Amino acid sequence: TLRYWIGCSQRVCFPSGVAIPDLDSVQTETRFKRQRLERTSRKQPDCSGLFRLDISKESVNVFKKISDDILSASHGGTQWSSDLEDGRRRGYGFPPWSGVERLAKHKIKFYMFEFDEPCFKEQAKLDEMRNINASVSLQESNLWTPDIEHATNETLLKHHVFGSVFSNIAKLQPLIDSKYRKYLALDQLIALQPNYQPLTQTDAGKVSHLNLHVDQPRYEGFGVLIVTIAIKGNGTVVLLDEKPEPHVKNRDKDAWSFDLHEAQCYVLSGDARNKCLHGVLPHGERTSLNLRFGLHGSSQDDKEETVSFEAEFDQHW
């Protein structure tokens, strides 16, 4: 049985025997060709830029409250796809230092990449409107709560609870490639995206998986670094590098899978974020929260605020 690894400068071992799912059953809705993963006996290399971290139950509760606040304020969010029967829901929460305006400033299109064709102009407008309607501006009260435990006799101190739990995730900074580390910071947090996957997508019994895809950084899949927190329920995360070595003929595709349980998170950075497809097969009803850090900019954008879309992402596609 193959043993799969996550990590770059530090390897994190997952239990052996984690099977790569048959992804022929995953109906991809992107332009990428569906592939079947074949298990091989060769040594599996690391997936560069992929990390997993256990977080405390207390921290998960904080993220859950923020996630619930976002979905409540956005009236349940919006469906993941244009299918009105899609039971999967998501929303966007923008912290005070961010917002839809920040996306517009860097010419990020707030709709699906697949709709960026003249024939899909109306669908693009509708998708953008759905995302905007599912977006909320987080207030200080969403991210700060009174800290009774550390209150003094003179005053009731306000404790930055979100910043406190975020510090746990920031422990991953030394493992991340140096050119991305500055983006794993609160002031680089662009949006918090809660996601809900029901047990089934429709009454017909469709599986509520997250299809193999790449988050398109100049569209609704923005973010230099993406941290996904498992708030409720478990799932199997799958990554696929279809072109590990384009110059080598008949090179096998690289694939990784690992189970993600409640109170765990994983980070997509570098090749794992820019080069690999990823998907999630839930083991049941599942809720997660994406933290999207930093933006990919066009060549005309301020290089101090963004990373190059062409150099970091577009070269792979």
Side-chain angles (χ1 to χ4, degrees), residues 3 35 39 50 55 68 71 74 88 96 99 101 113 117 122 135 141 151 155 207-208 252 259-260 266 294 296:
R3 182 177 294 270
Q35 301 284 352
R39 289 174 65 105
L50 177 65
I55 55 180
D68 290 344
L71 289 177
S74 62
R88 303 168 301 175
E101 300 79 10
F113 166 71
E117 298 288 346
E122 291 304 315
S135 299
S141 59
T155 183
V207 177
S208 176
D252 290 331
D259 286 340
L260 189 75
Y266 70 98
H296 290 77

Side-chain angles (χ1 to χ4, degrees), residues 71 101 158 199 222 288:
L71 289 177
E101 300 79 10
K158 299 196 75 177
L199 184 59
F222 56 87
S288 62

Side-chain angles (χ1 to χ4, degrees), residues 7-25:
C8 187
S9 57
Q10 176 176 320
R11 287 183 170 185
V12 180
C13 176
F14 286 90
S16 61
V18 179
I20 296 180
D22 177 2
L23 293 185
D24 272 351
S25 63

Side-chain angles (χ1 to χ4, degrees), residues 152-173:
T152 66
N153 293 333
E154 292 79 16
T155 183
L156 181 65
L157 298 180
K158 299 196 75 177
H159 176 54
H160 199 324
V161 170
F162 182 69
S164 177
V165 299
F166 173 78
S167 65
N168 293 323
I169 297 175
K171 293 176 182 177
L172 285 169
Q173 274 190 334

Side-chain angles (χ1 to χ4, degrees), residues 179-252:
K179 64 181 176 181
Y180 303 122
R181 288 175 192 167
K182 71 176 184 179
Y183 294 102
L184 192 60
L186 275 178
D187 62 353
Q188 289 293 328
L189 178 59
I190 306 299
L192 301 90
Q193 177 190 328
N195 305 288
Y196 170 69
Q197 290 176 272
L199 184 59
T200 56
Q201 184 173 331
T202 68
D203 293 338
K206 294 181 182 178
V207 177
S208 176
H209 52 248
L210 175 59
N211 298 318
L212 274 176
H213 68 289
V214 62
D215 283 21
Q216 289 286 340
R218 298 287 293 164
Y219 295 83
E220 65 180 14
F222 56 87
V224 175
L225 300 174
I226 303 172
V227 179
T228 299
I229 303 165
I231 293 177
K232 177 183 177 182
N234 306 323
T236 298
V237 181
V238 182
L239 286 97
L240 170 65
D241 185 353
E242 294 188 299
K243 298 170 287 187
E245 296 177 68
H247 60 283
V248 179
K249 291 185 177 181
N250 301 319
R251 171 71 159 87
D252 290 331

